[in-house]
Amino acid sequence: MRVKRPRPPVRLTRRGRAALVVVVAALSLGGFWLGTRAVSLASVGQPVPSHAGLPWVVVGPGDTLWTIAGAVSPGRDATAVADEIMRLNGLRSSLIRPGTRLYIPSDR
């Protein structure tokens, strides 16, 4: 008759613990990176419909919605024009990045 002995608990060596820490850190950093990518893509907003015939500008370094609004419609309230630019471009926030093409409201 054979007696079954209980197996000893699993023990990690120093190298095993180091490998486990590296794997967990890599997975955490990968998840963090993917999360920040998802947030940055989500903040872009809705897909922009075709705005055939509308004028547009390219955002330059240091530009804000309000400076663009003031430049394209100097006689109007910059906040109202900035809100209209946000609506036209499907923006959910006022954050804009250099190189982005923004459609601007045409003069009526």
Side-chain angles (χ1 to χ4, degrees), residues 28-64:
S28 297
L29 288 174
F32 178 73
W33 181 76
L34 287 175
T36 57
R37 297 272 305 160
V39 167
S40 68
L41 292 176
S43 66
V44 170
Q46 308 266 336
V48 178
S50 174
H51 294 302
L54 279 181
W56 52 270
V57 296
V58 175
V59 177
D63 285 346
T64 66

Side-chain angles (χ1 to χ4, degrees), residues 6-44:
R7 291 186 175 196
V10 176
R11 295 181 187 204
L12 290 176
T13 62
R14 177 179 284 181
R15 185 172 47 180
R17 282 191 297 271
L20 184 62
V21 166
V22 168
V23 167
V24 169
L27 288 174
S28 297
L29 288 174
F32 178 73
W33 181 76
L34 287 175
T36 57
R37 297 272 305 160
V39 167
S40 68
L41 292 176
S43 66
V44 170

Side-chain angles (χ1 to χ4, degrees), residues 64-70 72 76-89 91 94 105:
T64 66
L65 278 178
W66 293 271
T67 58
I68 292 171
V72 299
R76 294 179 56 197
D77 178 33
T79 302
V81 177
D83 289 340
E84 197 168 348
I85 292 171
M86 287 178 65
R87 184 187 58 76
L88 280 173
N89 292 281
L91 300 175
S94 60

Side-chain angles (χ1 to χ4, degrees), residues 91-105:
L91 300 175
R92 293 183 180 159
S93 77
S94 60
L95 177 66
I96 55 175
R97 297 170 198 238
T100 304
R101 178 188 289 195
L102 290 178
Y103 292 99
I104 56 174

